[in-house]
């Protein structure tokens, strides 16, 4: 018996941003079409018939937010019947972590507005986008525990406390600072410099650190076991 099928394919992106001052945030658009008009949502949309998934998510991000990101990691497929009131839609989702200050936002096409929202102060989201966002956050947390993530969000030379803040913001929990430093420095790709941290109050300035990407990739080839 032939299967009746009228399924559409979409892509959605969970773009996390991090700054030391604002912590972890998420890029959202305000929809200017039904359903969920005037409701905040993840950037995304339908995939063209002749379009690769990776091209579709890049296009949707650029069109709706003005953001151009070279690489996003595929997250998961969301396809429960009824998740979109218009049609049966399967969404292939992607996620990434960027430095918000590097982008100039511009809402267009299906988006009336675009902005960064602190992950702890999110508005109600359209469709099942809160579920998608939660899944992406869990994936990011998990990834940070087995792979160095986010060094590109820090300055080229940074105080170790900034790396601690990044991990605590993404993991959304305190960390054992002494054990964290002991574990992460033993790999050798985090190098302590002789340059001192600038302090504007009392206290003894500590040395700055830098991430040796070349050493990390070499260790990765040799089989690094990175567990925090």
């Amino acid at each position: 018996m032939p299967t009746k099928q009228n399924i559409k394919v979409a892509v959605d992106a969970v773009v996390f941003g991090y700054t030391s001052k604002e912590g972890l945030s998420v890029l959202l658009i305000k929809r200017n079409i039904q359903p969920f008009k005037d409701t905040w949502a993840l950037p995304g949309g339908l995939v063209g018939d002749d379009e690769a998934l990776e091209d579709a998510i890049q296009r949707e991000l650029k069109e709706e937010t003005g953001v151009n990101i070279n690489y996003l990691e595929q997250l998961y497929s969301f396809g429960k019947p009824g998740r979109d009131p218009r049609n049966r839609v399967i969404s292939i989702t992607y996620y990434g972590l960027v430095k918000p200050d590097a982008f100039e936002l511009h809402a267009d096409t299906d988006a009336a507005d675009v902005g960064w929202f602190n992950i702890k102060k999110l508005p109600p989201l359209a469709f099942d986008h809160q579920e998608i966002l939660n899944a992406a956050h869990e994936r990011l947390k998990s990834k940070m525990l087995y792979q160095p993530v986010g060094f590109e969000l820090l300055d080229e030379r940074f105080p170790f406390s900034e790396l601690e803040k990044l991990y605590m913001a993404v993991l959304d929990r305190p960390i054992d600072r002494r054990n964290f430093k002991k574990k992460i420095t033993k790999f050798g790709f985090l190098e302590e410099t002789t340059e001192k941290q600038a302090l504007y109050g009392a206290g003894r300035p500590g040395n700055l650190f830098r991430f040796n990407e070349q050493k990390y990739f070499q260790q990765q080839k040799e089989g690094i076991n990175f567990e925090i």
Side-chain angles (χ1 to χ4, degrees):
M1 179 178 174
T3 301
K4 184 181 178 183
Q5 189 181 68
N6 185 24
I7 299 175
K8 294 184 181 298
V9 177
V11 287
D12 290 298
V14 184
V15 180
F16 294 106
Y18 174 81
T19 65
S20 178
K21 184 178 178 183
E22 302 295 335
L24 191 66
S25 56
V26 181
L27 183 65
L28 298 177
I29 62 152
K30 182 181 275 187
R31 291 173 58 80
N32 63 10
I33 59 170
Q34 295 290 359
F36 299 104
K37 187 178 179 184
D38 297 327
T39 303
W40 291 92
L42 299 171
L46 294 176
V47 180
D49 286 343
D50 301 316
E51 193 173 33
L53 295 174
E54 291 75 16
D55 293 338
I57 194 60
Q58 301 287 349
R59 174 183 54 76
E60 288 288 343
L61 263 177
K62 183 66 178 173
E63 288 177 355
E64 293 186 341
T65 70
V67 167
N68 192 10
I69 302 174
N70 291 330
Y71 176 75
L72 290 169
E73 190 168 321
Q74 197 171 110
L75 173 65
Y76 193 69
S77 302
F78 290 79
K80 287 181 185 173
R83 60 178 298 276
D84 188 320
R86 297 166 296 184
N87 310 97
R88 177 81 194 278
V89 179
I90 293 175
S91 176
I92 314 299
T93 58
Y94 292 79
Y95 78 106
L97 180 62
V98 301
K99 204 170 187 175
D101 296 347
F103 301 99
E104 186 174 342
L105 301 184
H106 174 69
D108 206 343
T109 60
D110 297 346
D113 199 2
V114 58
W116 294 99
F117 288 77
N118 187 287
I119 198 163
K120 294 185 176 179
K121 299 174 184 174
L122 294 175
L125 299 184
F127 305 105
D128 55 356
H129 287 186
Q130 184 64 57
E131 183 183 352
I132 295 174
L133 197 157
N134 292 343
H137 192 194
E138 289 304 313
R139 179 72 66 85
L140 182 62
K141 288 183 195 177
S142 174
K143 187 171 181 178
M144 287 196 84
L145 296 178
Y146 66 81
Q147 181 178 338
V149 172
F151 282 93
E152 68 277 14
L153 306 179
L154 303 175
D155 293 336
E156 186 179 347
R157 287 176 168 74
F158 52 87
F160 195 85
S161 58
E162 288 296 310
L163 184 61
E164 292 173 341
K165 284 174 68 175
L166 168 65
Y167 266 75
M168 286 192 287
V170 174
L171 297 176
D172 194 26
R173 63 173 172 81
I175 58 175
D176 183 323
R177 299 177 64 187
R178 181 176 293 183
N179 279 337
F180 176 73
K181 187 170 185 177
K182 185 178 176 183
K183 285 181 177 180
I184 207 162
T185 54
K186 76 176 182 182
F187 299 105
F189 51 70
L190 188 64
E191 298 176 342
E192 187 170 4
T193 73
T194 55
E195 194 175 338
K196 297 291 184 185
Q197 177 184 6
L199 287 182
Y200 301 99
R204 185 180 173 187
N207 289 345
L208 299 179
F209 288 76
R210 73 182 189 95
F211 178 56
N212 188 327
E213 193 175 54
Q214 190 175 5
K215 186 176 280 188
Y216 168 69
F217 285 130
Q218 182 60 38
Q219 289 186 346
Q220 225 183 10
K221 284 182 184 174
E222 296 166 356
I224 185 174
N225 182 19
F226 181 83
E227 287 185 8
I228 294 296

